[in-house]
Structure formats: structure tokens, C-alpha cells
Amino acid sequence: MKLLRYGPEGQEKPGLLDGEGKIRDLSGHVADISDDALTPEGLAKLAAIDVASLPVVEGSPRLGACVGHVRKFIAIGLNYADHAAESGMPVPAEPVVFNKWTSCIVGPNDDVVIPEGSTKTDWEVELGIVIGKTARKVSEAEALDHVAGYCVINDVSEREWQLERGQTWDKGKGFDTFGPIGPWLVTSDEVADAGNLSMWLEVDGKRYQDGSTKTMIFGVAKLIAYCSRLMTLMPGDVITTGTPPGVGMGQNPQVFLKGGETIRLGIEGLGEQTQKVRRA
């Protein structure tokens, strides 16, 4: 299934994308794409619905983040060796874990807003993991049983605040609008191998990132198992898994967002995002 949330900000309704690319309304069956709806039992109930019986949503409504009520937005840094190299940082021996504040989450096509005074706002296409089953100290062998699905994430980053203002990465990662998620959550049964998906990102039509999740240092199962040792993962928690090379910071000379650009990004089988960039 491709699950989504649509409607005005703060008033999103649950839906799914049918085989013809039409949005179908799920609000008669579930309150939101969150919490219990993401558990194995909740997803089984949604999968049993006759899609043809669901109302078609007319027009082209705004898409919200494909997951509601995200308790934790966990991010993994330097998870591609070639991205670590372009960042001038060593390949990590263990996953680098930091937070993106949940208040940064927006829809996949909402504007990205450059913070006041920023001169180093950057982009990062990433694979998102959506947790569907409580995970506490799980093994790698068990880890994938705890996944509801996957999605596209743009881990927007302000590099000065991330790297030059006290070495606390969280500072540069959680500004408002820095977490576009979606367009939809693709349930894990429809993703044959999350560790082998092509991914790309363009700014104003120029392709900067063109990679694959197969070059991740730490794969999906490893990341879930590792994070579940640090915290209890709960349904609706999101882990964004790192980015391949091609970020603005890695260009020579460096390229950062100034406002007025259009960002397009996508991951094989998981859909695409488009964001307009504007200054605060």
C-alpha cells in the first residue's frame, strides 16, 4: 500500500494511492496514518479494505507528511562513505545518531524556508524508515519485522549551525520546514530490498545527487537494532538513514540555497518531492 495524508496543514486526512494514481479517502476506516494504524494488525486491516469502495478524492489536494504523530524523528549521519569523504570526516565505526525536531516536519511539496541570517542551507535526499512495531533491544535478525514502511525524506541542513556553532548537529537540522516527508509511506511488503534503491536530487534542474541505498555503511536492519538499544522505538517513529554524495557543502566551490530555487528529489518506488525554497 501507498499510504498518505492530504489536506490543509494541521487538518490532514488519511488516504491511500490506488493503482491508477488516484487518492482514496481512508477517514471512514482510520483516524490518521499514525500510532495503531501502523502496527502489523493495523496495516492488515487497511490491506483488507476493498480499495474500489473508498471515496475518490477529487482535484490535487496538498499532501502532508505521510506519517502523523511522529514522536521521534531520528537521523543518521555520514552513513555513506563517499558522503563522509566529501564532508571531510572519517567513516564512522558506529552509526552517528542525532535528532531532527518533530516541529520541522512538513509535507513533501511544502516550501523549504531558509532561516533568518542563514548562508549555508543545504539539501540531502534520504531513505526514511517508519517504525510499525515497538522495538526495544531487538536483534538485526528481528529488526525488519518492526518496519511499517519506507518514504522519501529531504534532510534539509543548515551547515553553519550544524558544524560551526558548538558541534551539536541537532542545531542545524531541526529548523522549521527542514523535514519534508513523503509523498507516501510505501508499506514494507511492497519494497523488495530497501538496501538497493536508486535515489537522486536536483536543484533548478541540475542533478547534484545520484546514488543508491546499496552504498549505505549501516543498513536498515543494523540501524533499527542499534537505535533500539538507545531508545524504545514506537509506531510512527521515523529514522532517516543518511545521504549519498552530492550535497552543496561537498561541491567545489560550495553551493548553498539562497532562496527562489526549486528542489526535486526521489527514491525508486517511493515517489518524488518538489519544494520551492524561500527566505524567512
Side-chain angles (χ1 to χ4, degrees), residues 60-80:
S60 300
R62 169 191 173 270
L63 295 179
C66 59
V67 188
H69 192 209
V70 178
R71 294 178 178 87
K72 294 188 286 295
F73 193 2
I74 304 154
I76 308 299
L78 303 177
N79 197 27
Y80 291 71

Side-chain angles (χ1 to χ4, degrees), residues 247-263:
V247 300
M249 180 177 64
Q251 306 301 308
N252 186 18
Q254 293 181 328
V255 177
F256 295 113
L257 298 167
K258 295 179 171 55
E261 299 94 341
T262 299
I263 305 173

Side-chain angles (χ1 to χ4, degrees), residues 72 131 133-140 142-143 146 224-235 237:
K72 294 188 286 295
I131 300 298
K133 181 180 177 182
T134 300
R136 185 182 297 109
K137 298 180 181 177
V138 301
S139 68
E140 288 186 47
E142 302 169 308
H146 295 74
I224 294 170
Y226 188 89
C227 289
S228 77
R229 293 173 58 192
L230 307 177
M231 67 200 84
T232 298
L233 300 174
M234 305 175 72
D237 286 351

Side-chain angles (χ1 to χ4, degrees), residues 75-80 84 90-98 169 217-219 222-223 225-227 229-230:
I76 308 299
L78 303 177
N79 197 27
Y80 291 71
V91 174
E94 295 191 34
V96 175
V97 181
F98 59 92
W169 282 25
I217 299 167
F218 306 107
K222 173 69 174 181
L223 293 175
Y226 188 89
C227 289
R229 293 173 58 192
L230 307 177

